[in-house]
Amino acid sequence: MSGVRQFPRKTAAAIAVVGVVGLCAARKASLRNEAFAESPKPCGGPGGPGGRGGPGGRMGFYSLRLESSQQVNDNTKRLRFQLPDPASNAGLSLASFILTFHKPKDAWFPVIRPYTPINNFDEPGYIELLVKKYPNGRASGYLHSLQPGDELNIRGPMRGYQWKTNEFENVNLIAGGAGITPMYQLIQGMLNNPDDKSKIKLIFGVNTDKDLVMKKELDAFEQKFPDRLKVVYRVSDPVEGSPFTKGRVTKELLEKELLGPKDSKTTKVFLCGPPAMEAAIFGSKGWISSQKGVLEELGYSADRIHKF
């Protein structure tokens, strides 16, 4: 079977032992901004959200073969992995993620990280990841080192946020850097669904112009669905002559741009970005001190917000 093979029983058992530890490590990794095209969020299997599935129709451990590697900018790649069945979509659905595994020679345990597939789930036969390489990032560095024909060990798909079509009239997506991946997954899934009528506002903040990954795809969706999708860009350090507005994702910007009544169950805000950005927008709670987030200051209750 080309493209995917199931792990040997002993290998799968060994990884299963560290599965719980791995999930915690994966979440901590995203907080360290070490692997940010990767945000924990599970998916459904055959039959739609809420199911359990994967290559071959079941959740489990697999090895995917890399089909192609595309350099997006100086630190980001699009990696396309084959599925064994050209007619299979691996059980992916909104909102979903997979766990990647690899074991460095000098490590006792495998490095485990969550990544969000960005491919159109209606196009079967492959999974595509957008991976930003971080300095000393063990997962992202390993993924960037893969060449076509190499294999990647994964587990998934896995289910997280329980997405329901048309549950919200207004969907606000706030992304920072490579945190665009779960947002793009939602955008393409919602807009490719003819039954979905929700309006979407994406606020996308990055450091430099080159960090606006997925812009070509976002532009295409915005042009095709002008009445449903609006994208607002902010660049902290734009190049000279940049067409993008200089700035960050601030309280003033969110107050101006967010869609829908903030106190209504018809409005939802999704957030994914670097730790400092998430803390500023969502807030943080700790044993010693807590920080109120911008969204709370603007009147959004916790149940109106989902942080990937």
Side-chain angles (χ1 to χ4, degrees):
M1 223 170 27
S2 63
V4 173
R5 60 177 176 80
Q6 203 167 1
F7 286 179
R9 184 175 300 176
K10 289 184 178 180
T11 304
I15 295 177
V17 170
V18 297
V20 174
V21 176
L23 283 169
C24 295
R27 183 56 182 164
K28 290 179 180 178
S30 66
L31 293 176
R32 290 197 305 269
N33 206 18
E34 183 176 303
F36 235 137
E38 27 191 356
S39 276
K41 59 204 112 219
C43 93
R52 294 174 64 84
R58 59 191 181 279
M59 181 179 289
F61 297 96
Y62 300 90
S63 182
L64 301 181
R65 182 169 292 115
L66 180 64
E67 178 182 302
S68 64
S69 174
Q70 176 189 353
Q71 195 78 40
V72 176
N73 59 26
D74 61 332
N75 60 17
T76 304
K77 285 186 175 183
R78 291 181 71 144
L79 303 175
R80 179 169 169 144
F81 295 90
Q82 298 173 342
L83 296 177
D85 180 0
S88 170
N89 71 351
L92 295 167
S93 64
L94 303 182
S96 63
F97 76 101
I98 62 172
L99 292 177
T100 66
F101 296 80
H102 84 280
K103 187 176 180 302
K105 293 181 180 179
D106 60 346
W108 283 87
F109 298 104
V111 175
I112 307 172
R113 295 290 185 272
Y115 280 85
T116 306
I118 59 170
N119 51 287
N120 182 349
F121 301 157
D122 293 332
E123 297 177 1
Y126 70 97
I127 289 178
E128 190 170 26
L129 304 179
L130 183 74
V131 180
K132 179 176 180 179
K133 183 179 179 181
Y134 292 93
N136 302 316
R138 293 188 296 170
S140 59
Y142 173 75
L143 287 170
H144 271 237
S145 74
L146 296 177
Q147 300 297 317
D150 291 344
E151 294 185 338
L152 174 68
N153 296 329
I154 73 160
R155 185 187 181 193
M158 305 181 74
R159 184 177 59 198
Y161 184 81
Q162 302 300 297
W163 180 262
K164 298 178 182 178
T165 300
N166 293 321
E167 182 177 5
F168 310 110
E169 293 179 14
N170 302 289
V171 177
N172 296 286
L173 310 175
I174 306 172
I180 188 62
T181 57
M183 307 310 182
Y184 182 75
Q185 186 190 90
L186 286 174
I187 288 171
Q188 63 90 12
M190 294 168 65
L191 296 180
N192 285 328
N193 181 358
D195 296 326
D196 198 309
K197 308 301 180 185
S198 303
K199 293 186 181 298
I200 310 167
K201 174 69 72 71
L202 169 65
I203 300 174
F204 188 11
V206 297
N207 291 326
T208 65
D209 295 46
K210 68 178 177 60
D211 297 318
L212 287 173
V213 294
M214 308 301 298
K215 186 178 184 301
K216 180 180 178 180
E217 291 83 355
L218 291 170
D219 287 347
F221 273 126
E222 197 170 19
Q223 291 170 13
K224 186 176 180 179
F225 300 94
D227 58 332
R228 292 195 55 207
L229 173 65
K230 300 295 182 184
V231 183
V232 176
Y233 298 102
R234 285 295 182 272
V235 180
S236 299
D237 187 20
V239 298
E240 185 175 352
S242 171
F244 304 109
T245 302
K246 181 177 182 178
R248 299 180 182 274
V249 179
T250 62
K251 179 179 180 179
E252 292 72 24
L253 177 66
L254 296 180
E255 186 173 27
K256 174 184 176 183
E257 296 290 351
L258 292 179
L259 294 175
K262 63 188 69 175
D263 57 351
S264 172
K265 291 184 178 181
T266 64
T267 300
K268 190 73 173 182
V269 181
F270 293 88
L271 170 66
C272 188
M277 175 185 178
E278 290 191 351
I281 295 175
F282 184 77
S284 61
K285 298 184 183 298
W287 292 102
I288 300 176
S289 63
S290 298
Q291 173 184 339
K292 180 181 289 188
V294 164
L295 290 174
E296 184 180 355
E297 293 176 352
L298 290 175
Y300 291 87
S301 59
D303 65 331
R304 296 295 90 218
I305 308 164
H306 179 80
K307 182 165 66 74
F308 285 115

